[in-house]
Amino acid sequence: MDNWFFYVVLGLLIGGIIAFVWEELNHSGAWSDAKSRISIVRQQRIDILKQLDQKPPEKTDIKNEAVTLVYKVAASQNHFSLKDIETFTRQIQNYYLNNLNSPSTFKMNFPEKKLLNFDPAQTLMLLTIINEGLHNAALYSNANFIFNIAYIEDDKLHIITHDNGIGYDRNKNIDAGGINKILKAITTLKGDLKLTSTAGNGTVVNTQIPLS
């Protein structure tokens, strides 16, 4: 009986030691992963500011200041929620409202409850898409309303800039550089672009970003 009790206690002791060691190893691995992730996003922030310093200036001071704002925002923190993207979109809207002689009223509709997180590099791409769409709409569309819309469908985040302005002929695009920047950002995010514009019926820039 005494030997039986001894072996039970010994088994429990060994099991406890194994469980403790296993938990410590798992904790150590998770901690290592977390530190690695923090290091990656910090490096992204550094790289974004380097890109800003090295990039050529835009064609106008207004556009240059807007792009600078986008880069500085993307480098300002490690993680961004969709609510953060909405807040910074509002800042860009207000910037164009205050600095361009635009007849447009700016509107916005972003989802309130969906929790998404973006790293600085992803945020830079998203805000670049939004900024380029806003710049073109505010400068060229003569729209009464310019909308920024976000919604989630089929595991994709849709970011839309929609104006009810004069539209344009894509073969006579007066700011192809802006569309090219949108396309580059979408390619980086592995997304798609649906661009719809007809003379007299406004323009819709619909970017679709896979959430995976």
Side-chain angles (χ1 to χ4, degrees):
M1 178 66 70
D2 291 341
N3 288 339
W4 175 85
F5 180 76
F6 170 77
Y7 286 121
V8 169
V9 173
L10 180 62
L12 291 173
L13 180 62
I14 293 173
I17 293 173
I18 292 173
F20 174 78
V21 171
W22 182 257
E23 182 177 352
E24 287 298 306
L25 288 173
N26 284 338
H27 182 269
S28 176
W31 179 245
S32 177
D33 289 345
K35 289 194 295 183
S36 176
R37 181 63 180 165
I38 291 172
S39 176
I40 289 171
V41 295
R42 283 179 176 170
Q43 187 60 49
Q44 286 182 4
R45 295 170 66 182
I46 293 171
D47 291 342
I48 288 170
L49 292 177
K50 287 181 179 178
Q51 292 172 32
L52 176 60
D53 288 338
Q54 296 170 1
K55 70 182 298 298
E58 302 293 330
K59 293 180 180 180
T60 65
D61 289 340
I62 288 177
K63 179 71 176 294
N64 201 62
E65 289 177 8
V67 171
T68 299
L69 172 64
V70 165
Y71 273 76
K72 288 185 175 180
V73 161
S76 66
Q77 57 196 61
N78 288 346
H79 301 285
F80 298 82
S81 67
L82 190 57
K83 187 66 177 179
D84 292 326
I85 302 298
E86 178 185 13
T87 298
F88 298 133
T89 298
R90 179 71 69 188
Q91 289 183 19
I92 299 170
Q93 285 184 341
N94 289 336
Y95 173 78
Y96 285 122
L97 181 64
N98 294 328
N99 289 277
L100 284 176
N101 185 23
S102 172
S104 303
T105 299
F106 293 89
K107 302 287 186 178
M108 183 179 297
N109 184 16
F110 273 58
E112 296 180 359
K113 296 182 180 180
K114 185 69 177 182
L115 297 178
L116 296 174
N117 286 299
F118 306 98
D119 61 31
Q122 293 167 332
T123 299
L124 176 62
M125 296 299 101
L126 290 173
L127 291 179
T128 294
I129 291 166
I130 291 167
N131 179 53
E132 295 299 334
L134 274 173
H135 176 265
N136 282 1
L139 196 62
Y140 303 124
S141 72
N142 293 324
N144 294 321
F145 295 98
I146 299 174
F147 298 89
N148 283 112
I149 303 166
Y151 67 92
I152 296 160
E153 184 177 84
D154 298 329
D155 291 326
K156 293 181 180 180
L157 172 64
H158 294 248
I159 299 285
I160 296 173
T161 302
H162 177 205
D163 69 69
N164 67 343
I166 60 175
Y168 70 95
D169 182 346
R170 291 186 64 181
N171 295 321
K172 300 178 181 178
N173 184 13
I174 53 180
D175 188 15
I179 298 299
N180 288 338
K181 288 178 182 178
I182 290 174
L183 288 170
K184 183 177 179 180
I186 290 172
T187 299
T188 300
L189 294 171
K190 302 184 185 332
D192 296 301
L193 170 66
K194 290 186 177 180
L195 178 62
T196 305
S197 183
T198 55
N201 291 308
T203 301
V204 179
V205 180
N206 182 352
T207 61
Q208 302 174 16
I209 310 302
L211 297 180
S212 60

